[in-house]
Amino acid sequence: SQTIHQWPATLVQPVGSPLSLECTVEGTSNPNLYWYRQAAGRGLQLLFYSVGIGQISSEVPQNLSASRPQDRQFILSSKKLLLSDSGFYLCAWSAQAETQYFGPGTRLLVL
Amino acid sequence: RKEVEQDPGPFNVPEGATVAFNCTYSNSASQSFFWYRQDCRKEPKLLMSVYSSGNEDGRFTAQLNRASQYISLLIRDSKLSDSATYLCVVNIGGSQGNLIFGKGTKLSVKP
């Protein structure tokens, strides 16, 4: 069966510090991968998606970036965090654009 | 007009009650539809897909009206464990599987 992992589970970072969140998927090949952010009281916002290694599409302009160095690894990064980057970051996978399944998420607080 | 709209609630109901959630979507080209459940501070989890003919899974019944661009979820015989936020989700298509999430309807089932 497929499983999706995210780490860290929680993170507290100062403004201006870098960020690296990791997501890995097991039990499937060539998945579509997604990064979402859910801010307090708001819906899920798609940040990035990837249909293959090295292929990244960005949905919204921001100071975040994503990379997919391996088939089942998706990384969300920032060089300098802003207060507005605080939120619940969720990675998801799908098989050929079908139903998406979410990882446990990373809760980020930028102070 | 928002792409996926839901009544935010909260819906406070006693155990055993029947509760219905509604959702409307704006993109008439939407291809598939889902209900996800999200527990507090957890990731969303797929509850059920929604088919044109309507579908049932135990105490849960989902309906789709494409003409009215309307989706519903009915929960019968509510349990305490049904307390969660229910997200209406629409797939507007594309190779990347573009899901649009509603902000969710919060349900609280009381003893």
Side-chain angles (χ1 to χ4, degrees):
Chain A
S1 64
Q2 300 85 9
T3 55
I4 179 168
H5 305 278
Q6 286 187 247
W7 63 90
T10 59
L11 194 58
V12 181
Q13 291 285 98
V15 169
S17 64
L19 174 74
S20 181
L21 303 181
E22 191 161 343
C23 170
T24 57
V25 182
E26 295 176 359
T28 185
S29 296
N30 196 30
N32 286 1
L33 295 173
Y34 310 84
W35 277 111
Y36 290 86
R37 177 171 59 208
Q38 188 174 39
R42 303 182 66 178
L44 279 157
Q45 180 187 34
L46 180 63
L47 302 175
F48 301 94
Y49 66 89
S50 170
V51 298
I53 295 174
Q55 301 178 60
I56 308 294
S57 296
S58 174
E59 287 296 299
V60 292
Q62 60 210 315
N63 70 320
L64 298 170
S65 61
S67 62
R68 186 169 176 176
Q70 301 179 43
D71 181 45
R72 288 169 283 181
Q73 184 184 30
F74 205 21
I75 298 172
L76 183 69
S77 304
S78 174
K79 292 182 179 178
K80 287 186 177 182
L81 284 168
L82 306 173
L83 286 174
S84 57
D85 291 325
S86 293
F88 190 33
Y89 287 82
L90 290 155
C91 180
W93 75 273
S94 72
Q96 303 306 310
E98 294 175 358
T99 308
Q100 292 181 21
Y101 299 93
F102 288 85
T106 294
R107 201 161 294 276
L108 172 67
L109 178 60
V110 182
L111 300 174
Chain B
R1 180 180 175 186
K2 296 177 184 175
E3 293 195 71
V4 178
E5 291 199 64
Q6 295 181 250
D7 182 339
F11 283 53
N12 297 309
V13 303
E15 271 187 292
T18 295
V19 61
F21 304 139
N22 302 319
C23 168
T24 57
Y25 60 95
S26 61
N27 190 329
S28 59
S30 298
Q31 299 181 358
S32 52
F33 310 87
F34 310 91
W35 284 101
Y36 278 71
R37 170 197 169 126
Q38 186 173 23
D39 292 289
C40 186
R41 302 181 69 82
K42 297 289 188 181
E43 74 274 24
K45 293 184 179 179
L46 178 67
L47 178 65
M48 58 197 304
S49 300
V50 187
Y51 304 118
S52 297
S53 56
N55 48 300
E56 187 173 310
D57 182 2
R59 297 181 293 108
F60 299 83
T61 300
Q63 296 279 354
L64 167 64
N65 184 322
R66 284 188 183 271
S68 302
Q69 296 180 198
Y70 170 95
I71 307 161
S72 66
L73 177 68
L74 183 77
I75 305 175
R76 292 181 299 278
D77 188 22
S78 299
K79 310 292 184 189
L80 295 177
S81 57
D82 293 333
S83 297
T85 296
Y86 290 83
L87 306 175
C88 176
V89 184
V90 172
N91 186 338
I92 63 173
S95 60
Q96 73 279 10
N98 198 346
L99 295 188
I100 306 298
F101 287 78
K103 291 186 179 181
T105 298
K106 186 173 181 179
L107 171 65
S108 182
V109 181
K110 306 292 186 183

